[in-house]
Amino acid sequence: MKTVVFSGIQPSAQVPHLGNYLGALRQWVDLQNKNQCYYCVVDLHAITVPQPKQALTEATYASYALLLSIGIDTKLSKLFVQSQVPEHTELAWLLNCYTSVGQLSRMTQYKEKSEKQKNFISAGLYDYPVLMAADILLYDTDQVPVGEDQIQHIELARDIAERFNHQYGPVFKLPKGLLLKETARIMSLQQPDQKMSKSDPNQNATIFLLDSPDIVAKKIGSAVTDSQTEIRFDQSRPGLYNLLSIYRALKPQPLAEIEKHFEGRGYKELKKELAELIVDLLKPIQKRYQTFVNDKAELKKLMKAQAEQIRPVVGKKVSEVKEKIGLVI
Ligand code: TYM
């Protein structure tokens, strides 16, 4: 039996960024060969905060096309859109009844996101982690490749699974988060004490996977560092540390070698080389993206076909859960 891998990404107004890629998405690609992988564009998670209709549709196509462009291969993995597999929401409702309000109130992401929603906080935003638990538990998932910010949600999924199993016997597998230690939390280029984020109002803080070479150079060039000069991996210098971590992720080598390479050289040179590495990463992705995104009919066909292939698998799981609870199936 192959290890089962599940992960998801939200289609929000902006396309995925370098943090998404280095923290999570590049693991998705690497995991495809040896495991049974399910990757999901989680549109139902995106609507927990307001989304303009057209932007949501576009972002769903764009995210799906980008995942294909970075190398997700639908011959090896399942790549689908969450709302096209309604078993996710069905299981989420069932799991809601095995999740306490206290548990949900402790979720850091809810606290942060609800603070930003001044006028209206949806019940969906509060319940977001239960839908995420359903995503994961539906597939008997072993591993969930994510960035650090999602670990608390995966722990909640385990807690929900344990509570259910305790009451009804072993129905759910207990999933584990899979982190890339060095890049599990890529930081904002402008405020390196905060994570890089799609919704950062300062556009210079985040490199998006569709940014042009000029924009990449401009954003890296204006990245916040410090007034020191020596280029070293030093966590007390978060701006520099973040840039060096990105550099090392794109050009893997021992820390000491990178420090030696930049000995006697300044931030300007580091930034120039780093921008070049990022452009080299993005160029082929962007080229493939243009071919995928321009054929929406083909994308839609692929999405539907992938969802249809999954439904029998997850249908069985939902029936098992309902039967355990005592619902008449
Ligand atoms: P989302 O869409 O916010 O982010 C997608 C993935 O990118 C990771 N990530 C980062 N990694 C490193 N540095 C950063 N600055 C950074 N920002 C984001 C995230 O950790 C994530 O892995 N709730 C999830 C989507 C989801 C999901 C799931 C994930 C829904 N259901 C089931 C795993 C399993 C989210 O909002 O990710």
Side-chain angles (χ1 to χ4, degrees):
M1 285 273 275
K2 280 187 172 174
T3 298
V4 177
V5 170
F6 183 97
S7 201
I9 184 162
Q10 291 193 60
S12 21
Q14 293 283 6
V15 291
H17 55 67
L18 194 63
N20 297 131
Y21 182 79
L22 293 178
L25 305 181
R26 76 187 160 128
Q27 302 196 69
W28 295 16
V29 178
D30 294 342
L31 288 162
Q32 292 184 108
N33 285 314
K34 296 209 179 91
N35 308 286
Q36 174 60 60
C37 299
Y38 295 93
Y39 297 130
C40 186
V41 176
V42 293
D43 52 351
L44 298 174
H45 277 107
I47 61 169
T48 56
V49 296
Q51 301 288 344
K53 178 181 171 184
Q54 189 62 24
L56 177 65
T57 310
E58 289 298 323
T60 303
Y61 280 115
S63 303
Y64 197 91
L66 250 178
L67 292 173
L68 292 171
S69 312
I70 62 163
I72 303 299
D73 180 348
T74 53
K75 290 193 193 72
L76 300 171
S77 305
K78 296 283 173 265
L79 177 62
F80 65 103
V81 177
Q82 190 184 33
S83 63
Q84 294 184 355
V85 181
E87 285 79 3
H88 285 245
T89 32
E90 192 174 8
L91 183 62
W93 178 261
L94 300 172
L95 296 182
N96 267 326
C97 304
Y98 300 86
T99 308
S100 75
V101 167
Q103 281 174 305
L104 290 181
S105 303
R106 285 193 288 277
M107 293 295 115
T108 315
Q109 194 166 312
Y110 171 71
K111 288 186 212 160
E112 284 171 7
K113 285 196 177 176
S114 56
E115 249 169 53
K116 289 186 195 148
Q117 304 295 314
K118 289 281 177 266
N119 299 323
F120 172 79
I121 300 168
S122 76
L125 187 63
Y126 189 63
D127 201 32
Y128 178 117
V130 182
L131 179 58
M132 181 162 159
D135 295 341
I136 297 169
L137 300 178
L138 202 46
Y139 295 84
D140 290 328
T141 300
D142 299 291
Q143 295 186 338
V144 190
V146 286
E148 194 187 68
D149 61 342
Q150 296 304 319
I151 290 297
Q152 193 186 32
H153 289 157
I154 297 170
E155 277 162 11
L156 178 71
R158 283 175 70 93
D159 290 347
I160 297 172
E162 274 183 324
R163 178 175 292 125
F164 195 94
N165 289 350
H166 184 70
Q167 198 167 336
Y168 298 107
V171 174
F172 294 121
K173 244 192 193 168
L174 302 186
K176 283 204 182 86
L178 200 59
L179 288 184
L180 289 172
K181 209 170 125 252
E182 314 290 340
T183 51
R185 195 173 169 83
I186 297 293
M187 307 310 276
S188 152
L189 298 177
Q190 292 296 319
Q191 283 172 286
D193 57 337
Q194 290 181 20
K195 71 171 185 190
M196 185 177 281
S197 147
K198 280 182 214 161
S199 55
D200 199 314
N202 184 341
Q203 288 286 299
N204 283 333
T206 308
I207 294 196
F208 295 102
L209 297 188
L210 295 181
D211 281 349
S212 68
D214 286 354
I215 298 283
V216 170
K218 185 174 148 260
K219 288 180 177 176
I220 293 292
S222 68
V224 169
T225 46
D226 52 49
S227 56
Q228 298 183 48
T229 50
E230 200 188 359
I231 293 184
R232 281 200 314 112
F233 279 88
D234 177 352
Q235 301 220 30
S236 69
R237 295 162 66 191
L240 173 64
Y241 190 82
N242 190 40
L243 295 181
L244 285 173
S245 303
I246 299 172
Y247 183 97
R248 184 159 180 244
L250 297 176
K251 201 171 175 183
Q253 57 193 296
L255 307 185
E257 262 175 46
I258 297 178
E259 291 176 347
K260 192 152 167 263
H261 176 72
F262 286 109
E263 214 173 80
R265 301 166 69 202
Y267 288 148
K268 207 169 160 198
E269 281 149 286
L270 166 63
K271 286 177 168 179
K272 186 167 169 287
E273 282 193 30
L274 179 57
E276 282 166 9
L277 286 177
I278 296 171
V279 169
D280 287 348
L281 167 77
L282 299 186
K283 254 196 184 145
I285 295 176
Q286 294 176 354
K287 199 163 162 227
R288 286 193 292 271
Y289 176 78
Q290 286 315 327
T291 54
F292 286 124
V293 85
N294 286 332
D295 196 346
K296 294 248 170 61
E298 194 54 40
L299 282 178
K300 192 170 182 176
K301 221 164 85 189
L302 187 58
M303 288 171 180
K304 291 256 175 202
Q306 293 278 295
E308 285 313 313
Q309 285 174 28
I310 291 169
R311 295 204 55 200
V313 182
V314 289
K316 251 171 79 185
K317 192 76 196 176
V318 172
S319 295
E320 183 191 352
V321 175
K322 285 167 134 179
E323 198 264 329
K324 289 284 178 192
I325 294 173
L327 301 172
V328 178
I329 57 170

PDB file of all heavy atoms in Angstrom, residues 66-81:
ATOM      1  N   LEU A  66      -1.633  26.794 -12.526  1.00  0.00           N
ATOM      2  CA  LEU A  66      -0.285  26.960 -11.950  1.00  0.00           C
ATOM      3  C   LEU A  66       0.232  25.659 -11.346  1.00  0.00           C
ATOM      4  O   LEU A  66       1.418  25.342 -11.437  1.00  0.00           O
ATOM      5  CB  LEU A  66      -0.292  28.050 -10.887  1.00  0.00           C
ATOM      6  CG  LEU A  66       0.442  29.324 -11.271  1.00  0.00           C
ATOM      7  CD1 LEU A  66       0.331  30.361 -10.182  1.00  0.00           C
ATOM      8  CD2 LEU A  66       1.905  29.086 -11.593  1.00  0.00           C
ATOM      9  N   LEU A  67      -0.665  24.917 -10.738  1.00  0.00           N
ATOM     10  CA  LEU A  67      -0.238  23.634 -10.159  1.00  0.00           C
ATOM     11  C   LEU A  67       0.227  22.688 -11.262  1.00  0.00           C
ATOM     12  O   LEU A  67       1.236  21.984 -11.109  1.00  0.00           O
ATOM     13  CB  LEU A  67      -1.362  23.012  -9.330  1.00  0.00           C
ATOM     14  CG  LEU A  67      -1.694  23.783  -8.043  1.00  0.00           C
ATOM     15  CD1 LEU A  67      -2.928  23.218  -7.356  1.00  0.00           C
ATOM     16  CD2 LEU A  67      -0.507  23.751  -7.069  1.00  0.00           C
ATOM     17  N   LEU A  68      -0.481  22.704 -12.384  1.00  0.00           N
ATOM     18  CA  LEU A  68      -0.009  21.900 -13.521  1.00  0.00           C
ATOM     19  C   LEU A  68       1.355  22.417 -13.985  1.00  0.00           C
ATOM     20  O   LEU A  68       2.259  21.635 -14.298  1.00  0.00           O
ATOM     21  CB  LEU A  68      -1.002  21.979 -14.685  1.00  0.00           C
ATOM     22  CG  LEU A  68      -2.374  21.323 -14.474  1.00  0.00           C
ATOM     23  CD1 LEU A  68      -3.312  21.692 -15.626  1.00  0.00           C
ATOM     24  CD2 LEU A  68      -2.249  19.801 -14.360  1.00  0.00           C
ATOM     25  N   SER A  69       1.507  23.734 -13.982  1.00  0.00           N
ATOM     26  CA  SER A  69       2.739  24.346 -14.514  1.00  0.00           C
ATOM     27  C   SER A  69       3.971  24.065 -13.649  1.00  0.00           C
ATOM     28  O   SER A  69       5.086  24.000 -14.161  1.00  0.00           O
ATOM     29  CB  SER A  69       2.583  25.864 -14.630  1.00  0.00           C
ATOM     30  OG  SER A  69       1.379  26.170 -15.259  1.00  0.00           O
ATOM     31  N   ILE A  70       3.766  23.938 -12.339  1.00  0.00           N
ATOM     32  CA  ILE A  70       4.944  23.644 -11.498  1.00  0.00           C
ATOM     33  C   ILE A  70       5.311  22.160 -11.562  1.00  0.00           C
ATOM     34  O   ILE A  70       6.324  21.748 -11.031  1.00  0.00           O
ATOM     35  CB  ILE A  70       4.750  24.051 -10.015  1.00  0.00           C
ATOM     36  CG1 ILE A  70       3.595  23.261  -9.384  1.00  0.00           C
ATOM     37  CG2 ILE A  70       4.547  25.549  -9.874  1.00  0.00           C
ATOM     38  CD1 ILE A  70       3.604  23.306  -7.870  1.00  0.00           C
ATOM     39  N   GLY A  71       4.440  21.348 -12.190  1.00  0.00           N
ATOM     40  CA  GLY A  71       4.819  19.943 -12.361  1.00  0.00           C
ATOM     41  C   GLY A  71       3.897  18.930 -11.708  1.00  0.00           C
ATOM     42  O   GLY A  71       4.251  17.754 -11.615  1.00  0.00           O
ATOM     43  N   ILE A  72       2.726  19.354 -11.234  1.00  0.00           N
ATOM     44  CA  ILE A  72       1.763  18.347 -10.764  1.00  0.00           C
ATOM     45  C   ILE A  72       1.235  17.631 -12.014  1.00  0.00           C
ATOM     46  O   ILE A  72       0.765  18.268 -12.956  1.00  0.00           O
ATOM     47  CB  ILE A  72       0.598  18.989  -9.964  1.00  0.00           C
ATOM     48  CG1 ILE A  72       1.130  19.784  -8.768  1.00  0.00           C
ATOM     49  CG2 ILE A  72      -0.378  17.907  -9.518  1.00  0.00           C
ATOM     50  CD1 ILE A  72       1.899  19.001  -7.739  1.00  0.00           C
ATOM     51  N   ASP A  73       1.345  16.314 -11.972  1.00  0.00           N
ATOM     52  CA  ASP A  73       1.064  15.511 -13.161  1.00  0.00           C
ATOM     53  C   ASP A  73      -0.171  14.647 -12.871  1.00  0.00           C
ATOM     54  O   ASP A  73      -0.137  13.793 -11.980  1.00  0.00           O
ATOM     55  CB  ASP A  73       2.306  14.634 -13.425  1.00  0.00           C
ATOM     56  CG  ASP A  73       2.131  13.743 -14.636  1.00  0.00           C
ATOM     57  OD1 ASP A  73       1.000  13.617 -15.137  1.00  0.00           O
ATOM     58  OD2 ASP A  73       3.152  13.154 -15.059  1.00  0.00           O
ATOM     59  N   THR A  74      -1.221  14.881 -13.616  1.00  0.00           N
ATOM     60  CA  THR A  74      -2.484  14.169 -13.309  1.00  0.00           C
ATOM     61  C   THR A  74      -2.429  12.684 -13.690  1.00  0.00           C
ATOM     62  O   THR A  74      -3.372  11.954 -13.423  1.00  0.00           O
ATOM     63  CB  THR A  74      -3.692  14.845 -13.999  1.00  0.00           C
ATOM     64  OG1 THR A  74      -3.397  14.976 -15.395  1.00  0.00           O
ATOM     65  CG2 THR A  74      -3.970  16.206 -13.412  1.00  0.00           C
ATOM     66  N   LYS A  75      -1.311  12.279 -14.271  1.00  0.00           N
ATOM     67  CA  LYS A  75      -1.150  10.825 -14.463  1.00  0.00           C
ATOM     68  C   LYS A  75      -0.623  10.180 -13.177  1.00  0.00           C
ATOM     69  O   LYS A  75      -0.807   8.991 -12.942  1.00  0.00           O
ATOM     70  CB  LYS A  75      -0.177  10.545 -15.612  1.00  0.00           C
ATOM     71  CG  LYS A  75      -0.756  10.906 -16.962  1.00  0.00           C
ATOM     72  CD  LYS A  75       0.084  10.320 -18.086  1.00  0.00           C
ATOM     73  CE  LYS A  75      -0.294  10.945 -19.411  1.00  0.00           C
ATOM     74  NZ  LYS A  75       0.189  12.360 -19.517  1.00  0.00           N
ATOM     75  N   LEU A  76       0.036  10.971 -12.365  1.00  0.00           N
ATOM     76  CA  LEU A  76       0.600  10.444 -11.115  1.00  0.00           C
ATOM     77  C   LEU A  76      -0.267  10.782  -9.906  1.00  0.00           C
ATOM     78  O   LEU A  76      -0.367  10.014  -8.954  1.00  0.00           O
ATOM     79  CB  LEU A  76       1.998  11.046 -10.874  1.00  0.00           C
ATOM     80  CG  LEU A  76       3.073  10.778 -11.935  1.00  0.00           C
ATOM     81  CD1 LEU A  76       4.311  11.611 -11.646  1.00  0.00           C
ATOM     82  CD2 LEU A  76       3.424   9.288 -11.944  1.00  0.00           C
ATOM     83  N   SER A  77      -0.865  11.961  -9.926  1.00  0.00           N
ATOM     84  CA  SER A  77      -1.602  12.477  -8.758  1.00  0.00           C
ATOM     85  C   SER A  77      -3.023  12.815  -9.177  1.00  0.00           C
ATOM     86  O   SER A  77      -3.289  13.000 -10.356  1.00  0.00           O
ATOM     87  CB  SER A  77      -0.968  13.780  -8.272  1.00  0.00           C
ATOM     88  OG  SER A  77       0.381  13.608  -8.008  1.00  0.00           O
ATOM     89  N   LYS A  78      -3.886  12.959  -8.192  1.00  0.00           N
ATOM     90  CA  LYS A  78      -5.208  13.527  -8.469  1.00  0.00           C
ATOM     91  C   LYS A  78      -5.135  15.015  -8.141  1.00  0.00           C
ATOM     92  O   LYS A  78      -4.667  15.395  -7.063  1.00  0.00           O
ATOM     93  CB  LYS A  78      -6.272  12.860  -7.598  1.00  0.00           C
ATOM     94  CG  LYS A  78      -6.446  11.384  -7.895  1.00  0.00           C
ATOM     95  CD  LYS A  78      -7.252  11.163  -9.163  1.00  0.00           C
ATOM     96  CE  LYS A  78      -7.297   9.712  -9.554  1.00  0.00           C
ATOM     97  NZ  LYS A  78      -6.272   9.323 -10.542  1.00  0.00           N
ATOM     98  N   LEU A  79      -5.589  15.823  -9.095  1.00  0.00           N
ATOM     99  CA  LEU A  79      -5.587  17.275  -8.899  1.00  0.00           C
ATOM    100  C   LEU A  79      -7.011  17.750  -9.163  1.00  0.00           C
ATOM    101  O   LEU A  79      -7.502  17.640 -10.287  1.00  0.00           O
ATOM    102  CB  LEU A  79      -4.601  17.918  -9.891  1.00  0.00           C
ATOM    103  CG  LEU A  79      -4.522  19.439  -9.861  1.00  0.00           C
ATOM    104  CD1 LEU A  79      -4.045  19.942  -8.509  1.00  0.00           C
ATOM    105  CD2 LEU A  79      -3.573  19.944 -10.958  1.00  0.00           C
ATOM    106  N   PHE A  80      -7.666  18.264  -8.131  1.00  0.00           N
ATOM    107  CA  PHE A  80      -9.097  18.549  -8.288  1.00  0.00           C
ATOM    108  C   PHE A  80      -9.512  19.794  -7.517  1.00  0.00           C
ATOM    109  O   PHE A  80      -8.734  20.369  -6.755  1.00  0.00           O
ATOM    110  CB  PHE A  80      -9.918  17.325  -7.844  1.00  0.00           C
ATOM    111  CG  PHE A  80      -9.792  17.012  -6.378  1.00  0.00           C
ATOM    112  CD1 PHE A  80     -10.800  17.339  -5.495  1.00  0.00           C
ATOM    113  CD2 PHE A  80      -8.651  16.402  -5.873  1.00  0.00           C
ATOM    114  CE1 PHE A  80     -10.682  17.068  -4.137  1.00  0.00           C
ATOM    115  CE2 PHE A  80      -8.521  16.124  -4.516  1.00  0.00           C
ATOM    116  CZ  PHE A  80      -9.550  16.455  -3.657  1.00  0.00           C
ATOM    117  N   VAL A  81     -10.769  20.190  -7.771  1.00  0.00           N
ATOM    118  CA  VAL A  81     -11.332  21.375  -7.128  1.00  0.00           C
ATOM    119  C   VAL A  81     -12.299  20.899  -6.035  1.00  0.00           C
ATOM    120  O   VAL A  81     -13.177  20.074  -6.286  1.00  0.00           O
ATOM    121  CB  VAL A  81     -12.054  22.254  -8.174  1.00  0.00           C
ATOM    122  CG1 VAL A  81     -12.723  23.451  -7.513  1.00  0.00           C
ATOM    123  CG2 VAL A  81     -11.051  22.719  -9.245  1.00  0.00           C
TER     124      VAL A  81
END
